[in-house]
Amino acid sequence: MLDENLPAFFYRRSSNPLLTILYFTQSGSEPIGEYSIQKINPDLPQSKNKYAVALGDAAIRDVIFAEVLIEPEFQQPTLSAAEVRQQNGVPPPPVPLIPDGFTMQLYNPEQQVVVKGEKSTWTGKESWEFEMPQQSFRVPSASKLDRQQNDPGANSLTPKIIFKWKRDSKFSKDMTCYMTGTSVDGRKSKDPDITLAMYKHGKEPSLTLYEPNLRRVEIEDRKGLELVLLLGAEVIREIYLFPNRDSFNVAGAPSRRKNSRPTPGPSSTSPALMMTSALGSVPPAKTTSPVTQLPTPPLDTAVDAETKRLQALVQQEERDREKRDRAEQQRIKKMLEDEDRERQRRDAEVARETERLRRQFGLAGQDFGPKPSLPPRQGNGQQLQPPGPPPRPVSAEPRPHGFGWFQGLGHSPGAPQNGGGYGQSSASGSGGRRRGGSADSGTGKMMKKKKSTFF
């Protein structure tokens, strides 16, 4: 239960398997029987192949508020050879098809509510949609003309509110009812979903009404909406959430107990008639099963015949496939031969054209002269030596003492000194120019440290 303060209904089965009592509680009060769900008696002949349920009063069960009647369509199931062998060739009974929707009939005022089921292709969740008119009761009027008109709910121009039951998940048995929009004359408008009721499945199913959101529903027949929610949840649970073959009462009356004697049918004859000649005047017994009218062929013979037919069909398909393969191989072979002949024909044409041009113009002009000579290669083991660096210039003589940076630049290397030319020797008497400051300058003394002009 979501909240004990919210109104809730509990589905509790009674000692009668065909009767379920709905108990109402709110704000933690003691549950009180409010409604009763009554199912049709399967012993009745008119209940065969039908699903019928009614919602009535808990105390006076003859008072019916709403009911649902579903008559499904039946389909003969297809069985495999193994299943047919297990049933000894007897055809299985037809299987009921679950309908896509159902109709709920409300009384006082009479109104039909159609519930349509749909399944989401994306999530696989199922939902059931229905509509209820905003105005269900006639306006009080003393006019006879107004009384002869139909109820507002039957008018297509009356605005209707759209409700939808949705499963909480694909494999969940719980549902939630939402108000999804409005509809006028078949044109629907989508609104944000508003939660109205929550159905919880369990040992004791319950339906909780979300009262704060119920006040937002603009509808006159709030009692009718409550009945539709209670009865619709029960029908959806039995038909769609827990489908059962017995829900539609396919077998009619309940099956007899074990070790019970079969009841003699109307076609059985008395012993007196069997012993007299009156048997010829007795009409033949009526049979309803086609199996008793026609002799059933042996199962093995039917299976062998079906096996032979399938084998012959497979062999025929193999022969057709081999024939198509051979035709395709011949087509490909012919195509390759045609391409080979076409290539040989083109080669022959090119050879003839080349021979014709050679005979017409000859080979003159096709000699382009001797080939250009390449530079001689180095011998084995010889490699080109990279050129050496340029000779280093001869350094200038030592500057005289006291020469400053701002008194002038020294002589450049190679310039004449002491008035001598380039070819004259120095006055020092040395055989050649020497680097200034060397030990073999001939003076025998160490050169003094040069003074800095900055200090």
Side-chain angles (χ1 to χ4, degrees), residues 41-205:
N41 189 0
D43 297 336
L44 299 177
Q46 61 268 23
S47 65
K48 184 177 180 181
N49 299 334
K50 295 180 182 179
Y51 172 82
V53 64
L55 181 65
D57 188 77
I60 307 175
R61 299 174 185 174
D62 294 338
V63 178
I64 302 300
F65 300 123
E67 63 180 6
V68 174
L69 175 63
I70 301 177
E71 297 182 6
E73 298 180 357
F74 289 83
Q75 182 182 12
Q76 192 71 23
T78 56
L79 303 180
S80 61
E83 294 175 347
V84 173
R85 191 180 299 109
Q86 290 178 359
Q87 297 186 4
N88 297 328
V90 179
V95 178
L97 300 179
I98 298 179
D100 296 335
F102 57 92
T103 302
M104 287 185 286
Q105 178 67 43
L106 303 181
Y107 298 103
N108 194 24
E110 293 188 1
Q111 179 183 345
Q112 288 187 352
V113 179
V114 179
V115 181
K116 300 178 181 179
E118 59 183 7
K119 186 175 183 179
S120 175
T121 57
W122 180 257
T123 59
K125 295 172 57 177
E126 294 178 323
S127 61
W128 296 268
E129 183 180 279
F130 62 93
E131 301 177 357
M132 292 194 67
Q134 293 183 357
Q135 184 180 358
S136 302
F137 306 101
R138 297 180 183 179
V139 178
S141 176
S143 174
K144 294 182 179 180
L145 183 61
D146 294 340
R147 296 177 182 177
Q148 292 177 359
Q149 293 181 359
N150 297 328
D151 294 335
N155 190 359
S156 60
L157 298 179
T158 302
K160 299 180 179 180
I161 300 180
I162 304 175
F163 304 92
K164 182 177 289 187
W165 280 105
K166 295 182 181 180
R167 299 181 67 171
D168 294 348
S169 64
K170 184 177 180 180
F171 302 102
S172 176
K173 305 302 180 182
D174 300 338
M175 301 183 299
T176 305
C177 184
Y178 301 93
M179 183 177 65
T180 59
T182 58
S183 173
V184 179
D185 196 14
R187 295 189 298 269
K188 299 181 180 180
S189 61
K190 178 68 175 177
D191 295 335
D193 294 348
I194 300 176
T195 304
L196 298 181
M198 289 78 69
Y199 177 82
K200 298 297 181 182
H201 174 74
K203 186 176 181 180
E204 187 179 51

Side-chain angles (χ1 to χ4, degrees), residues 11 52 66 87 114 130 136 159 176 184 213 227 231 239 241 313 339 367 395 399 407 421 436 453:
Y11 296 77
Q87 297 186 4
V114 179
F130 62 93
S136 302
T176 305
V184 179
N213 289 342
L227 298 176
L231 185 57
I239 300 300
L241 300 184
L313 182 61
E339 291 180 355
D367 189 5
S395 302
R399 295 181 182 181
Q407 295 180 6
T453 58

Side-chain angles (χ1 to χ4, degrees), residues 371-450:
K371 297 182 179 180
S373 59
L374 298 176
R377 298 184 179 180
Q378 298 293 335
N380 295 334
Q382 296 181 2
Q383 297 181 357
L384 296 177
Q385 298 292 337
R392 184 175 182 181
V394 180
S395 302
E397 292 292 335
R399 295 181 182 181
H401 180 70
F403 183 81
W405 291 96
F406 300 98
Q407 295 180 6
L409 298 176
H411 297 283
S412 60
Q417 299 179 4
N418 299 328
Y422 285 99
Q424 298 179 0
S425 61
S426 177
S428 58
S430 59
R433 299 186 62 181
R434 296 180 178 270
R435 187 179 301 270
S438 59
D440 55 349
S441 58
T443 58
K445 296 181 179 180
M446 297 294 293
M447 180 180 293
K448 295 182 180 180
K449 183 177 181 180
K450 183 180 178 180

Side-chain angles (χ1 to χ4, degrees), residues 354-375:
T354 303
E355 183 65 20
R356 186 184 68 81
L357 295 176
R358 188 182 64 79
R359 291 179 181 180
Q360 181 178 358
F361 298 102
L363 300 178
Q366 297 185 9
D367 189 5
F368 298 99
K371 297 182 179 180
S373 59
L374 298 176

